[in-house]
Amino acid sequence: MQDYIDKMAPMFRPNILEMGEYAPPLEGRSGGYGLHDFNERTTEPHPLVLQRIDDFVRSGKVRVYPEYGRMDAAVAGYAGVAPGQIICTNGSDQAIDVIFRGIAGNGDVAVVPSPSFAMFYQSAGVQGARILAPRYAGPELEYPYEEVYESLEQRPKLVLMCTPNNPTGRAVDKAKAEEIIKEAGRREIAVLIDEAYHEFNPKGTLIDLTAYPNVFVTRTASKALGIASLRAGYAASAPDNIAQLRKIRGPYDVNMAAAAALTSLELPEVRDDIARYAAEVMARSKPVVEEFYRRKGVRFYPSDANFHLVDFNGMPFSARDAYGFLRDERLLIRPRSDPPNTARISIGTMNDTDLFMDKFSKLLARYGQ
Ligand SMILES: Cc1ncc(COP(=O)(O)O)c(C=O)c1O
């Protein structure tokens, strides 16, 4: 690798050569595993979502470039903002990326409270932005409000607020978040609020803070709506900010099957279905899983989302051991090295939960727990 870097350095920007690839373990997942590793919806989307995709495929218009008016209107209506405040993207990964590309240049500082979602680091890396990484800390792994507030002194270009945060699980406190946003605004610093999991924590949304001109909220269609394979997400912000982001996103980056699926957000049946799915996960499955963990002496961090960060320190086996055992049982979880020896474990429906507890009990029994 060093040979390659020495030889090819003139061709690639140094920050690209220095960064690593984000290569999540995706291969083979669709082959009959219980999927507790990527926080996706565990059931297929509502039939009316699939109907919109099917209607598009059968329309005889696959050869035509996409058009976005109805999608933008449906998404804006769902998010409760004006259509001019929305840009739809190829997954919310792309929303994050266009915001970084628009705002943080080479050598600029981005504040990314850590640990957090991998693509923040990737997008910062591509830009050559320098990351300041205050740590989530305390018994609930709370957002580091004070450190982030103080970091504004260093004139970052962008501050991240992932709420609820992946992988730690907690949402931010709105009043404390707003203090940071106001001070950042006074200093012309942008705040990116990632709400990938907002449907699982609907009361905690900060979407109305897009009234501040320095706030961007990103969201995804990959989780509660259930179309991760199609790659769709969006950003909401002030119309003038959205106009800037439109220059960066390609004119047809959202494919028309995804766009057709997003138009279904105009349907009350689809909105109800999303709320019902999220309620089953959060109000039924989550308390059952937590009761199970407590009963079995498994430590987990409190979460406002459809996953827990489980701590394997002090257990007679590691997070990687747990991953290996459960994979052989055809159930996938996501081991993590930060925080050390933890795993992020998604929560699904009651059916998924029953299966999960069955397999996790086998894991514990294997180690005499
Ligand atoms: C916090 C967070 N933001 C964004 C995303 C990306 O979502 P998408 O599939 O829309 O790119 C994820 C996916 O895991 C996530 O956890």
Side-chain angles (χ1 to χ4, degrees):
M1 191 63 184
Q2 193 54 47
D3 279 1
Y4 175 84
I5 291 176
D6 292 343
K7 213 161 77 204
M8 304 310 276
M11 190 167 80
F12 282 96
R13 291 186 290 128
N15 52 297
I16 302 296
L17 289 167
E18 276 159 23
M19 61 189 282
E21 180 188 350
Y22 175 48
L26 292 167
E27 275 325 298
R29 294 178 70 244
S30 56
Y33 287 97
L35 297 178
H36 291 257
D37 52 347
F38 275 77
N39 307 335
E40 297 139 314
R41 179 170 166 135
T42 60
T43 57
E44 279 294 273
H46 189 275
L48 290 170
V49 181
L50 300 176
Q51 183 71 50
R52 291 280 167 106
I53 300 164
D54 205 38
D55 288 350
F56 163 67
V57 172
R58 290 168 197 280
S59 67
K61 297 284 162 53
V62 172
R63 74 204 139 77
V64 179
Y65 281 105
E67 47 190 274
Y68 291 156
R70 193 170 172 194
M71 166 184 75
D72 287 345
V75 170
Y78 177 66
V81 300
Q85 282 186 268
I86 287 287
I87 181 170
C88 293
T89 51
N90 191 281
S92 63
D93 284 355
Q94 191 192 28
I96 294 161
D97 198 51
V98 295
I99 293 165
F100 264 94
R101 284 166 68 196
I103 290 175
N106 200 19
D108 286 338
V109 172
V111 180
V112 185
S114 297
S116 198
F117 177 53
M119 291 308 290
F120 303 148
Y121 307 90
Q122 293 304 109
S123 291
V126 171
Q127 290 307 108
R130 200 156 55 80
I131 292 177
L132 264 185
R135 301 284 303 173
Y136 282 82
E140 300 207 351
L141 292 181
E142 245 201 338
Y143 187 86
Y145 300 98
E146 275 179 32
E147 279 176 79
V148 170
Y149 196 93
E150 281 160 20
S151 75
L152 301 178
E153 287 291 339
Q154 299 194 38
R155 303 250 156 223
K157 287 286 190 177
L158 192 59
V159 171
L160 261 295
M161 253 177 216
C162 187
T163 180
N165 184 48
N166 172 10
T168 52
R170 268 289 188 234
V172 297
D173 174 87
K174 188 172 183 179
K176 290 182 188 169
E178 200 165 353
E179 268 178 52
I180 292 171
I181 287 165
K182 281 187 188 161
E183 184 57 23
R186 281 192 275 276
R187 296 166 183 261
E188 293 162 352
I189 297 165
V191 178
L192 194 177
I193 301 174
D194 182 320
E195 287 199 345
Y197 300 99
H198 75 98
E199 283 103 340
F200 299 98
N201 181 41
K203 293 202 178 99
T205 180
L206 304 185
I207 192 86
D208 59 317
L209 300 185
T210 52
Y212 289 102
N214 61 324
V215 169
F216 297 78
V217 171
T218 59
R219 289 177 168 183
T220 180
S222 298
K223 310 295 179 185
L225 178 61
I227 56 167
S229 64
L230 295 182
R231 312 303 303 126
Y234 56 97
S237 190
D240 289 342
N241 294 335
I242 296 297
Q244 301 307 316
L245 299 183
R246 284 189 191 286
K247 299 177 188 172
I248 304 169
R249 188 205 66 189
Y252 5 88
D253 281 356
V254 181
N255 74 74
M256 197 55 199
L262 286 179
T263 66
S264 72
L265 287 172
E266 70 197 10
L267 302 170
E269 296 91 330
V270 171
R271 294 184 186 190
D272 289 349
D273 171 73
I274 291 171
R276 243 194 328 269
Y277 176 79
E280 173 165 0
V281 170
M282 299 305 282
R284 292 191 62 210
S285 298
K286 188 164 172 274
V288 171
V289 177
E290 293 184 351
E291 213 293 297
F292 170 79
Y293 285 150
R294 282 194 196 99
R295 194 158 24 93
K296 300 285 189 181
V298 177
R299 286 175 48 211
F300 61 94
Y301 289 98
S303 170
D304 297 306
N306 62 334
F307 56 84
H308 289 108
L309 185 66
V310 173
D311 184 358
F312 289 82
N313 293 293
M315 304 281 281
F317 52 93
S318 69
R320 290 232 52 108
D321 293 336
Y323 165 75
F325 181 93
L326 293 170
R327 189 194 50 211
D328 291 346
E329 290 282 323
R330 304 206 70 72
L331 188 145
L332 298 176
I333 62 171
R334 198 78 187 277
R336 296 193 51 100
S337 52
D338 183 16
N341 200 19
T342 56
R344 197 191 61 207
I345 305 184
S346 314
I347 312 164
T349 60
M350 274 311 295
N351 274 346
D352 300 311
T353 300
D354 288 338
L355 202 65
F356 171 75
M357 292 189 302
D358 181 45
K359 299 198 169 188
F360 208 91
S361 295
K362 277 195 196 168
L363 163 70
L364 294 167
R366 154 86 177 72
Y367 288 94
Q369 293 267 105

